[in-house]
Amino acid sequence: MREKKPEKLKQEVRKEVKETYEQIKKMEIQGATDVALEAVKSLKKEKEEEELEKATNLLKQSRPTEPMMRNGLKYIKSRYREGEKIKKAVKEFQEIVNNAVEEIKEKGATYLPENAKVITHCHSSLVEKILIEARGRGKLEKVIVTETRPRYQGRITAEELSDKGIPVTVCVDSARIELIDEADISLVGADVITSDSYLLNKIGTHELALTSHNIKGKNFLVATQLLKIAPMTLKGKRQEIEERDPKEVWDHPPKGVTVRNPAFDATPPRYINSMITEHGVIHPFNAIDNARKRYPWIFNQI
Ligand code: RUB
């Protein structure tokens, strides 16, 4: 089916799907894992193929740089075509994600050094889970988090870690080159892993990787499910980087001033020491092979 425009599709889908689309678009639901889980959950009531097509077409247009959501929607469609009930397929996907998250939390907390001092960026549920687990094991000393302009997701991380009794320092994004000296390692989440092992994550990640790895000689680690592979990149198609409303940066700029608001950037694998995944702590070049073994359905046509 050809992709219709969201405005048209919104009138043709169930209330739950439309509301979830809006919440993801406005970032009331944020972070790749929650975006994927909530998008898939909103399909629970779908019963037949045409409804499912329209709903998945709308949801995947909510944020273009979210392959884990697209992979989740693809999983539901392919299980439906195999004869499974949608409600059951949704439960299966939730289990796949939850198992991966538990494994990453466990492996990540084990991998962190003793008395770890960690710098992070934005808000990643995976990073947060690893840090809370490490603190519980008495391994985490403190966290530094950059505020993450323009939407300040770093404050979500700061608040949630602080609620768990973890000492947290927040600084503006541009202060990290100074404050990184107080950290042993950098740890961030992921939105996309491409076929050539680039990491797409919140804007500012590339610069943190460059500073950590090349300037300060500190390990740069990525916590990611292999469900974030973008299979289209294997065919040479580019993964689009979402460009959000410039008003998030400056609501009333002077006339003649152009404001840009890219939401993500692309970090080359040469700055990434390791990826903490459900298949273990791996080199970024091994991400695709590991994803093929664990989730072969991601690579199937549908
Ligand atoms: C969030 C972000 C997170 C990843 C991973 O960006 O870049 O690092 O999505 O999150 P945004 P998780 O706020 O624009 O959604 O580890 O929860 O999957």
Side-chain angles (χ1 to χ4, degrees):
M1 188 187 283
R2 278 192 48 176
E3 213 162 73
K4 286 194 197 163
K5 293 259 182 283
E7 289 320 307
K8 178 122 190 46
L9 283 167
K10 272 199 283 183
Q11 293 159 17
E12 297 174 14
V13 298
R14 244 175 246 280
K15 186 169 129 271
E16 291 82 354
V17 172
K18 186 178 156 207
E19 281 173 5
T20 304
Y21 165 84
E22 299 286 4
Q23 286 172 322
I24 295 173
K25 204 169 165 57
K26 289 190 213 141
M27 290 178 60
E28 289 161 11
I29 298 167
Q30 65 78 230
T33 304
D34 283 348
V35 164
L37 283 173
E38 294 299 321
V40 164
K41 194 170 93 185
S42 75
L43 299 176
K44 250 172 45 189
K45 290 192 182 156
E46 304 306 325
K47 292 268 177 322
E48 40 111 343
E49 180 137 28
E50 204 188 323
E51 278 184 350
L52 186 60
E53 265 315 315
K54 284 182 181 164
T56 54
N57 271 344
L58 177 65
L59 289 163
K60 68 185 183 198
Q61 293 183 67
S62 58
R63 294 197 74 187
T65 321
E66 297 297 356
M68 183 166 163
M69 166 170 56
R70 295 198 300 268
N71 291 335
L73 300 174
K74 179 176 181 173
Y75 180 84
I76 305 301
K77 282 202 312 195
S78 64
R79 293 291 288 134
Y80 171 80
R81 285 184 192 168
E82 285 162 13
E84 191 50 87
K85 291 218 164 54
I86 292 177
K87 208 167 158 193
K88 169 88 187 324
V90 168
K91 220 163 160 224
E92 286 173 4
F93 184 72
Q94 289 167 337
E95 265 172 42
I96 290 171
V97 174
N98 292 339
N99 289 341
V101 169
E102 279 307 302
E103 288 175 74
I104 292 165
K105 179 179 86 179
E106 163 64 30
K107 291 181 173 101
T110 305
Y111 192 71
L112 285 195
E114 291 299 325
N115 306 317
K117 299 184 232 19
V118 178
I119 186 163
T120 188
H121 182 56
C122 195
H123 175 249
S124 148
S125 61
L126 281 184
V127 167
E128 217 176 77
K129 286 199 165 71
I130 291 172
L131 295 175
I132 293 168
E133 176 69 16
R135 181 72 176 181
R137 295 185 193 181
K139 290 181 76 177
L140 179 69
E141 206 173 298
K142 72 166 190 170
V143 175
I144 299 162
V145 55
T146 35
E147 60 179 1
T148 319
R149 282 272 294 149
R151 298 289 300 246
Y152 302 106
Q153 296 94 320
R155 293 180 186 174
I156 307 174
T157 306
E159 197 177 339
E160 292 183 359
L161 293 181
S162 181
D163 279 352
K164 299 282 177 193
I166 299 172
V168 186
T169 303
V170 174
C171 62
V172 296
D173 299 344
S174 48
R176 76 173 129 236
I177 194 154
E178 299 298 327
L179 269 77
I180 198 171
D181 291 334
E182 295 176 18
D184 311 310
I185 54 161
S186 300
L187 174 63
V188 298
D191 285 275
V192 186
I193 304 165
T194 66
S195 58
D196 49 0
S197 304
Y198 272 64
L199 159 72
L200 272 57
N201 191 51
K202 180 54 54 193
I203 189 82
T205 301
H206 186 173
E207 198 202 298
L208 175 60
L210 180 69
T211 309
S212 304
H213 189 276
N214 277 26
I215 302 178
K216 302 287 185 175
K218 293 176 198 263
N219 276 358
F220 179 81
L221 307 174
V222 181
T224 181
Q225 301 95 333
L226 296 165
L227 293 160
K228 291 173 180 168
I229 299 277
M232 72 206 300
T233 58
L234 282 161
K235 294 185 187 150
K237 283 199 197 152
R238 271 179 57 83
Q239 167 59 67
E240 176 189 344
I241 292 194
E242 179 185 3
E243 187 93 30
R244 294 186 61 83
D245 188 344
K247 286 196 167 34
E248 289 183 346
V249 177
W250 197 355
D251 47 2
H252 292 105
K255 209 166 168 252
V257 172
T258 303
V259 180
R260 294 277 311 272
N261 188 16
F264 303 100
D265 60 23
T267 302
R270 65 180 178 278
Y271 301 150
I272 303 171
N273 292 82
S274 305
M275 289 182 167
I276 302 166
T277 75
E278 59 275 55
H279 248 216
V281 180
I282 61 171
H283 190 276
F285 289 152
N286 296 327
I288 290 279
D289 281 352
N290 281 285
R292 267 191 209 284
K293 282 184 203 133
R294 178 110 177 191
Y295 308 116
W297 50 269
I298 289 183
F299 302 88
N300 292 345
Q301 289 283 22
I302 173 158

